[in-house]
Structure formats: C-alpha cells, structure tokens
Amino acid sequence: MFSCLVALTAATIGSAASQAQAISGTIRNGRTHEPVPFVNLGLPKRNLGTVADEQGRYQLAARPEYATDTVRVSSLGYEPLLLPLRTLLAQPNLELQPQAVELGEVAVAAPGAYRDLRTVGLAKSARGFVVHMTSNQLGTELGALVHLPKRPALLQSLNVVVAKNDAGPLTFRLNLYRLDAWGFPTAAKLLSHDVLLTATPQAGVLTVDLAAEKVVLDEDFLMGLELVQVPASPTPLDLTKQISFGGALELGGQLFVRLASQGQWIKPTVTSNGPLLGRRPAVALYATVKE
C-alpha cells in the first residue's frame, strides 16, 4: 500500500488575496429582480473567483491593478456576463438576463429501452489514497473524466465518495461539463439546473437521485464537484486539510482541478512514495446509468 498526494501550489492565491480590495454586491434576475443563488463570478486570467450565496450576495477580493481584467459572471439559465473589473468596482450590484437553457441534442428511445444498470467513473477508491480540496476559495472544483462505454445512457444518480470531513456541513454543486476535441472540459453544462448536495462530518458515499429527470447522455463528460457554501466560522477554514475524497491511481486516470470559480482547468502533478507505472490519479466521483 502507498499513499499519494495531489500537489498544487495555491501560494499565489493567498498572496493576491492578502493585498486585495474586497468588492461586495448582490446579483439579481434582470427580469424579476429576485436574487440569483450560487452564481459563479471570477477573473479567469487570475484564478480568482467566488460563488454568491443563496441570496445572491457575493464578496470578491481582487487587486486594483487588475482593473482592466475581464470578470465573468455566469449561472445556469442566464446569459453569461463579461465586464471589466473596474466596472464591477464602480457598480458591484449586477443583473443577469434569463435565457433558455441550451442543451445538446439528446437521444430519444421508447419507454423501457434502458434496462441494464452500470456504474461509470471511479466508484471504489484505493485504500490509503485520498484527494484533497485544491484551495479554500468558493468555486474550487475537482473533476473526473467519465467515459460512457455504451451510448445513449439514461442518468440515474451522481455519487461522491467522502473519505474525511472535519469542516462541518459543506455544500457542493455537481456539474456535468461537455468536453472539447482535446478532452478538456468546456463551460457548457449537460444538466439543466443546479444539483446541490451537503457533505456532513460523516465519511461515506453521497448520492443524488436523478432518475426522475430522464436525463439522456450521449457523450463522455467531466463530472465536477464544486464548493459553493461553507459554514460560518470566526476563523478561516483550511479545507485543503479538513476534507478529502476517495481516489485511486489508474491507467488513463483523468483528474482535473481548478482553484477558483471561473478559473482554468488543469491536470495536477503527483508525488508518490511508490512507482506510478504510467498510472494517474482519479477522484471517486461516479454516476450510475441505465443502458
């Protein structure tokens, strides 16, 4: 048995945040003027970002010299908003315009056509292998490339294997991202609405049942686990040490991470006290489907 650590350096994020100006505002629906919950907001170029709370309120820390950088604001069901940071500094309250959710073409089959239940993704983690959160920022995300051996497939559930959680209840969003021609996740999502789950202090498998939604998948995808809410605390929580997820080293393993909301996806480097033999890390995020 050996252990493995996904190695990422977030020191530049801590340095930037310590010298940053805090921007606070509320994001609303441009038609109804109701708050929009859990909106993603960030500077993709800087790997700085955050997620609005359930009342659409956000706080973003950014350095004034980033004034000409582009801020991206997005939420399922709304037109993405792009604006310079200097505009956000001048007017931190924002409105997003609703749009019809654009989903890819889906396969249609007769009732009862999907019969065989299959698990896709990593369902069984290796003993002694864990994957930690990559940063403490809201919007940080772990991603697992999921291959569909047979298509189309009818989505039944999404699942997360939690190895440890000493941070208290944490709220995550599960995202399914379309892949580009090179196998990297795009901004396009395959679900029509937010799927949220809460990790309690108990370890184990967290499951969201989506069978009733009749989601038909016809392509490989990236399953993302995105941090969107943490408990109130008088001192900052170090989530990179307090919560971890099951994982394994696999041939063809495809672990993706991003450090902040709207940040860039990367494949992390790995250090190990055993030979890797061409294997790469995978995180225990998986789906059940019917074929």
Side-chain angles (χ1 to χ4, degrees):
M1 184 188 76
F2 59 86
S3 62
C4 181
L5 174 67
V6 177
L8 280 174
T9 300
T12 54
I13 290 178
S15 173
S18 65
Q19 304 172 47
Q21 177 178 343
I23 309 167
S24 299
T26 301
I27 303 173
R28 298 182 180 276
N29 183 312
R31 186 176 300 161
T32 67
H33 306 296
E34 294 293 321
V36 182
F38 301 123
V39 176
N40 290 109
L41 180 145
L43 287 75
K45 180 179 175 182
R46 306 289 179 180
N47 269 331
L48 289 171
T50 192
V51 178
D53 67 13
E54 292 174 287
Q55 288 75 45
R57 298 171 302 201
Y58 73 89
Q59 187 172 77
L60 176 68
R63 296 169 64 156
E65 56 263 39
Y66 298 161
T68 59
D69 282 14
T70 297
V71 177
R72 188 174 192 270
V73 186
S74 64
S75 182
L76 273 174
Y78 296 87
E79 296 280 354
L81 179 64
L82 300 175
L83 68 161
L85 178 61
R86 61 170 173 256
T87 301
L88 189 68
L89 286 164
Q91 177 48 266
N93 295 320
L94 301 173
E95 290 190 342
L96 292 179
Q97 300 304 317
Q99 69 170 8
V101 177
E102 295 183 4
L103 299 177
E105 293 183 3
V106 297
V108 179
Y114 302 101
R115 298 177 181 273
D116 299 325
L117 189 66
R118 182 193 288 267
T119 297
V120 290
L122 178 63
K124 186 176 181 181
S125 55
R127 185 178 178 184
F129 189 109
V130 294
V131 178
H132 295 274
M133 294 298 296
T134 55
S135 87
N136 294 308
Q137 295 194 82
L138 293 178
T140 188
E141 195 162 5
L142 298 171
L145 189 65
V146 177
H147 172 65
L148 289 179
K150 187 177 179 180
R151 309 171 193 180
L154 186 65
L155 181 63
Q156 299 297 291
S157 69
L158 298 175
N159 307 271
V160 180
V161 179
V162 178
K164 180 189 78 169
N165 179 13
D166 295 332
L170 300 172
T171 303
F172 293 90
R173 175 163 44 206
L174 293 173
N175 301 304
L176 302 187
Y177 295 98
R178 176 163 285 129
L179 304 175
D180 64 18
W182 296 273
F184 267 72
T186 68
K189 295 183 178 181
L190 300 176
L191 297 174
S192 61
H193 64 89
D194 283 347
V195 174
L196 303 174
L197 61 79
T198 298
T200 63
Q202 290 74 34
V205 179
L206 303 177
T207 297
V208 178
D209 186 350
L210 296 175
E213 303 202 15
K214 308 296 183 185
V215 177
V216 177
L217 301 170
D218 199 24
E219 59 192 286
D220 293 345
F221 56 89
L222 186 97
M223 180 175 169
L225 179 71
E226 179 192 5
L227 179 67
V228 298
Q229 191 173 58
V230 300
S233 173
T235 58
L237 298 173
D238 186 358
L239 299 177
T240 63
K241 296 180 179 178
Q242 292 179 312
I243 186 167
S244 59
F245 304 91
L249 285 174
E250 293 192 323
L251 289 174
Q254 296 280 3
L255 170 65
F256 285 83
V257 301
R258 61 175 165 186
L259 300 178
S261 178
Q262 309 287 7
Q264 302 299 313
W265 287 100
I266 59 174
K267 293 182 180 180
T269 58
V270 177
T271 59
S272 172
N273 59 4
L276 295 178
L277 302 176
R279 294 174 295 173
R280 291 190 54 82
V283 62
L285 308 178
Y286 66 95
T288 60
V289 299
K290 281 187 175 180
E291 301 174 336

